[in-house]
Amino acid sequence: MTSPERVKVVVIGAGQAGLSVAFYLRRFELVADEDFVMLDRAPGPGGAWQHRWSSLRLGTAHRVNDLPGMAELGLSFETADRALPAKQVVADYYGRFEEHFDLRVRRPMNVRSVVNEGVDLLVHYEDLTPQPIEELKAKGLFGRRRRAYEDPAVPLAPQHEIATRFLVNATGTWGSPFVPYYPGMTDFAGRHVHTSDYADAEHFRDKHVVVVGGGTSAIGFMLELEAVAAGLTWVSRRPIDWLDRQELDLEGASAAVARQDEAARSGRALPSIVSGTGVPRSRRIAAGIERGLLVARPMFDRIEPDRVVWDGDEGGMARADAIIWATGFRPELRHLSPLKLREKTGGVAVGQGAAWSDPRIFLAGYGPQASTIGANRAGRMIARQIMAML
């Protein structure tokens, strides 16, 4: 068996947090593909933004902060074209950033697991690039798992390993959508759609839609679907905390980040950011409230095949052909499970970006670093700690 590739640092994920860490590693004169390797599951640059719906524009969702060093390219999200889909702008800017700083991101690479290998960590990953059967045969990769397939477009993922001294996990949350359970979910005859699956409002034309969630995604869906759906119902598990201002209150944001930090340090499951910051009442949102669109009902009690139902004092029902679950995400950490980092309280104990139970492992974009500003600051903090230990 051939020895695995060996590097000083592996960065998993090339979204904002991963790119920020890589930028500072390069500033410390580490060389991509020699000293450190970046692995990204997505087919192209853009992080989670490349998967968002086409109608989403910059300025209508949470602010996207510039990456450190982006000014060198003459780029800024502050001056980006807001007529273009946000996914297109972010993918373009991130791609140019990767090229300018020579980050050599390997994609599409899916990390399956990270295990202890003595003093090192061993990263197992697979190459998701579709490969023709003839090439697979030539590489000795066409085996029993492949015999059922005749279509050359069906990929068989070649497996790889990298041994590393330090691991930076920057996988974010997009790959781990959260949908709470409610009685009757499996009996629903319509569509269950999570934020991560939402593509276009036209898919819901003339449908009765229930939108679940109290954050900016749920509000955006309500505004988009207003002129498309036959009926709209908005429900939230908690009352909406409207802010009488156009932008997010920095004091409220700081308090929410502090709560995230405290939870991360204690190893608890991370609380919702929006529950601590509230939702700014922009002109567009204020108009939606005034015309009665953005008025959330309490959470329903159960789901029937063609409706959602409230019991008790609330009572009533709402017809539903589709339920959109804008209920958020959880950190994507499944590939780290062999390392047993998770605490009994449900989270990973993290301080200053490092896992307390294993100083070789850093979590960028986790907890208080999940905001776009926090992700950038974490990049420098984590890179400095790694360099101090190399």
Side-chain angles (χ1 to χ4, degrees):
M1 182 177 177
T2 59
S3 299
E5 181 180 2
R6 187 173 297 275
V7 295
K8 296 175 181 176
V9 186
V10 169
V11 180
I12 306 175
Q16 183 167 32
L19 293 178
S20 178
V21 172
F23 168 81
Y24 286 108
L25 291 177
R26 293 286 289 121
R27 278 291 189 262
F28 287 121
E29 299 185 348
L30 268 61
V31 178
D33 263 356
E34 295 181 19
D35 299 313
F36 73 92
V37 164
M38 293 196 74
L39 303 173
D40 189 53
R41 185 174 55 202
W49 283 92
Q50 67 191 280
H51 305 300
R52 294 179 182 267
W53 51 102
S54 297
S55 60
L56 187 64
R57 299 292 188 268
L58 294 174
T60 61
H62 293 298
R63 179 180 177 184
V64 184
N65 283 86
D66 294 346
L67 292 167
M70 187 179 280
E72 292 183 24
L73 289 73
L75 299 176
S76 174
F77 289 115
E78 292 293 328
T79 56
D81 188 348
R82 300 199 172 194
L84 295 174
K87 61 189 292 184
Q88 180 179 328
V89 176
V90 177
D92 176 40
Y93 282 17
Y94 280 15
R96 291 157 73 176
F97 183 91
E98 291 177 13
E99 182 177 358
H100 179 80
F101 292 108
D102 194 25
L103 300 182
R104 307 181 192 181
V105 180
R106 300 183 187 180
R107 57 168 60 95
M109 305 295 170
N110 179 50
V111 176
R112 297 185 61 85
S113 66
V114 181
V115 299
N116 282 306
E117 186 77 3
V119 297
D120 290 329
L121 296 161
L122 193 61
V123 180
H124 297 271
Y125 71 97
E126 55 190 3
D127 185 346
L128 301 181
T129 306
Q131 299 184 57
I133 287 179
E134 292 306 318
E135 289 186 20
L136 292 169
K137 287 180 177 178
K139 296 176 182 178
L141 296 172
F142 184 79
R144 285 177 295 177
R145 287 195 301 151
R146 187 69 194 210
R147 288 176 185 170
Y149 300 115
E150 297 296 331
D151 183 359
V154 178
L156 173 66
Q159 307 295 303
H160 302 281
E161 294 178 336
I162 301 181
T164 182
R165 291 181 60 185
F166 298 100
L167 179 85
V168 179
N169 190 79
T171 49
T173 62
W174 189 262
S176 186
F178 171 69
V179 177
Y181 173 80
Y182 281 88
M185 289 186 73
T186 57
D187 299 324
F188 185 54
R191 295 176 58 200
H192 286 294
V193 179
H194 187 267
T195 301
S196 57
D197 305 313
Y198 184 93
D200 195 308
E202 281 298 321
H203 294 167
F204 303 92
R205 180 167 289 281
D206 300 328
K207 304 291 185 183
H208 290 266
V209 182
V210 175
V211 177
V212 182
T216 54
S217 292
I219 293 167
F221 295 149
M222 290 294 294
L223 292 168
E224 279 197 18
L225 294 168
E226 182 180 16
V228 175
L232 270 177
T233 303
W234 183 24
V235 299
S236 174
R237 289 176 292 171
R238 62 178 63 88
I240 310 303
D241 182 15
W242 297 113
L243 303 177
D244 290 323
R245 53 182 64 89
Q246 292 287 314
E247 297 181 354
L248 186 63
D249 174 37
L250 293 180
E251 182 178 347
S254 298
V257 168
R259 283 189 287 272
Q260 289 267 320
D261 185 47
E262 196 277 329
R265 287 176 179 275
S266 64
R268 301 198 317 272
L270 301 176
S272 165
I273 281 284
V274 73
S275 65
T277 61
V279 180
R281 198 190 302 251
S282 67
R283 290 188 182 90
R284 186 169 179 241
I285 288 175
I289 296 172
E290 187 175 344
R291 62 179 179 269
L293 172 71
L294 297 179
V295 178
R297 297 186 66 177
M299 196 64 201
F300 49 75
D301 295 291
R302 53 192 168 88
I303 303 171
E304 295 185 356
D306 62 348
R307 68 193 65 197
V308 298
V309 180
W310 289 264
D311 296 325
D313 294 338
E314 176 67 23
M317 52 77 66
R319 181 177 168 185
D321 300 308
I323 302 175
I324 299 178
W325 298 90
T327 44
F329 300 81
R330 296 292 182 265
E332 187 176 3
L333 303 174
R334 290 183 296 270
H335 52 289
L336 301 182
S337 58
L339 301 175
K340 303 186 186 308
L341 301 176
R342 196 176 292 276
E343 304 289 336
K344 292 181 179 179
T345 46
V348 177
V350 176
Q352 298 296 305
W356 283 12
S357 61
D358 193 329
R360 301 169 299 172
I361 300 166
F362 296 84
L363 283 80
Y366 181 84
Q369 306 165 10
S371 68
T372 57
I373 296 176
N376 285 348
R377 291 173 179 166
R380 179 168 53 186
M381 177 176 62
I382 288 172
R384 282 178 172 174
Q385 291 181 74
I386 289 173
M387 295 307 299
M389 291 187 286
L390 282 176

